[in-house]
Amino acid sequence: TQLLEQSPQFLSIQEGENLTVYCNSSSVFSSLQWYRQEPGEGPVLLVTVVTGGEVKKLKRLTFQFGDARKDSSLHITAAQPGDTGLYLCAGDGLGGATNKLIFGTGTLLAVQP
Amino acid sequence: DSGVTQTPKHLITATGQRVTLRCSPRSGDLSVYWYQQSLDQGLQFLIQYYNGEERAKGNILERFSAQQFPDLHSELNLSSLELGDSALYFCASSVGGTGRYGYTFGSGTRLTVV
């Protein structure tokens, strides 16, 4: 059983479309992070959200942490081919343990030109 | 370049063999984390070291071991390798001992066991 479930698993869209990726858990996390991973590379940190209800924007990407700190979403506006990659959410502080990040199941995004 | 260096990038070995993966953390980072990434399991936490001491353990097999040296580089040793150990192995580092503010990942070592 995965502690952090992401949906959808796969997403193929056309350039210019909008999309939302969800990260859900039944557990509370101290903070939640989003990473993007490209083929042959390690995940790269995009953002960290720490307060319930927090919204952060990074250019065309909008991240939100749920009020109860159990879920998060990533919204991309006007997607571009450069947004293609594996998007991973990761939670910290599960059960008070802050030593390790627990990663979600991942969403593979392909943006067609 | 993330600042976290992993070697080798690719490794092909036979079942039953032993390999060592190496990681140099980003300058100034005291924590090193090892993760295994496979298609069916995703990114799974193996072990964490902080300033030379083991801090946390995940689903790491008994055939696997790790250590962090005084210069803070870390090695992950995998022995009695099985086909199922084929995966991407990532090292990540952070300044402190928690994941709260995110990790910096290396580019990984792709291990293929034949």
Side-chain angles (χ1 to χ4, degrees):
Chain A
T1 304
Q2 291 284 354
L3 288 170
L4 279 168
E5 293 282 348
Q6 287 184 236
S7 61
Q9 273 189 290
F10 306 100
L11 196 52
S12 180
I13 61 171
Q14 295 296 315
E15 182 175 1
E17 291 184 25
N18 302 331
L19 66 116
T20 302
V21 176
Y22 299 93
C23 173
N24 293 298
S25 175
S26 57
S27 304
V28 176
F29 289 93
S30 299
S31 71
L32 211 135
Q33 299 157 26
W34 285 91
Y35 291 78
R36 181 170 68 215
Q37 184 178 14
E38 297 184 20
E41 298 297 327
V44 175
L45 179 67
L46 296 174
V47 77
T48 300
V49 284
V50 297
T51 306
E54 182 177 359
V55 176
K56 277 192 175 177
K57 291 194 174 185
L58 185 67
K59 297 183 182 177
R60 294 176 293 99
L61 278 61
T62 302
F63 305 85
Q64 183 160 9
F65 201 9
D67 291 339
R69 291 186 290 127
K70 292 183 179 181
D71 54 82
S72 181
S73 64
L74 157 61
H75 183 77
I76 301 180
T77 303
Q80 298 177 2
D83 296 326
T84 293
L86 177 67
Y87 287 81
L88 294 159
C89 63
D92 164 65
L94 178 65
T98 58
N99 309 81
K100 62 186 183 188
L101 287 179
I102 296 173
F103 280 84
T105 48
T107 294
L108 188 59
L109 171 65
V111 182
Q112 313 296 335
Chain B
D1 181 8
S2 68
V4 177
T5 304
Q6 286 189 250
T7 57
K9 196 159 177 67
H10 301 277
L11 200 48
I12 301 175
T13 190
T15 55
Q17 294 298 305
R18 172 189 168 95
V19 297
T20 297
L21 312 184
R22 184 187 167 102
C23 168
S24 292
R26 193 178 57 165
S27 178
D29 286 356
L30 297 179
S31 271
V32 168
Y33 309 80
W34 286 97
Y35 279 80
Q36 180 191 59
Q37 187 176 39
S38 59
L39 282 175
D40 56 342
Q41 294 289 321
L43 260 173
Q44 297 291 315
F45 171 72
L46 296 178
I47 197 163
Q48 178 209 3
Y49 280 84
Y50 176 76
N51 204 20
E53 305 263 334
E54 182 184 304
R55 181 65 75 90
K57 244 180 178 176
N59 299 323
I60 187 167
L61 299 172
E62 283 191 15
R63 300 183 285 107
F64 296 0
S65 64
Q67 54 185 329
Q68 186 179 30
F69 296 86
D71 67 353
L72 301 178
H73 91 270
S74 178
E75 292 180 356
L76 178 67
N77 301 296
L78 315 177
S79 61
S80 302
L81 284 167
E82 302 174 359
L83 294 178
D85 297 327
S86 296
L88 270 167
Y89 291 84
F90 285 103
C91 166
S93 70
S94 67
V95 172
T98 81
R100 183 171 177 84
Y101 300 105
Y103 297 168
T104 301
F105 279 85
S107 296
T109 293
R110 181 175 292 279
L111 173 67
T112 303
V113 182
V114 298

